[in-house]
Amino acid sequence: AQQPPTPRYKASIAEDLRIAHHLEVLHGCAAGVEAFADAVVLLKVWARQRGFEAAPDSVNGFLLSMLLVYLLEHKLANRKMSSFQLFRAVLDFLATRADSLTRPGIA
């Protein structure tokens, strides 16, 4: 008998459907924000050093990159910031306001 799809499976399908759009957004940010790529490298190193990327469905470089995009689009980080300032903005958001991501209405 066939089992019903799990929430994890459904989330994976939804993620795959949006990959082209996400890549366009990331490319636009990388082109428009000089320090974006270096900030993403810092975020990936930070996550890897803490073992976040080792666990399945955990924090990964893509998620951190998209979080940085969110901060830039919502004016919670400035496009003129250095890579370290962008990195710190993400950490600050995670430490103080990440609960806002679980509330309904975030897009």
Side-chain angles (χ1 to χ4, degrees), residues 56-75:
D57 292 335
S58 183
V59 174
N60 58 39
F62 174 74
L63 178 67
L64 292 169
S65 300
M66 291 306 291
L67 180 56
L68 180 53
V69 168
Y70 173 83
L71 295 180
L72 289 163
E73 287 180 347
H74 289 84
K75 309 284 190 253

Side-chain angles (χ1 to χ4, degrees), residues 19-97:
I19 197 160
H21 173 70
H22 289 142
L23 289 175
E24 287 175 19
V25 170
L26 286 172
H27 179 71
C29 250
V33 180
E34 188 176 328
F36 183 82
D38 289 337
V40 169
V41 170
L42 288 171
L43 288 164
K44 288 181 177 183
V45 169
W46 174 82
R48 192 168 293 124
Q49 286 178 342
R50 280 144 188 83
F52 290 136
E53 293 189 334
D57 292 335
S58 183
V59 174
N60 58 39
F62 174 74
L63 178 67
L64 292 169
S65 300
M66 291 306 291
L67 180 56
L68 180 53
V69 168
Y70 173 83
L71 295 180
L72 289 163
E73 287 180 347
H74 289 84
K75 309 284 190 253
L76 299 171
N78 188 306
R79 294 181 180 277
K80 299 293 182 189
M81 288 178 160
S82 70
S83 56
F84 185 71
Q85 289 171 320
L86 292 171
F87 169 75
R88 290 291 309 262
V90 171
L91 294 186
D92 182 61
F93 182 84
L94 289 171
T96 61
R97 299 182 55 196

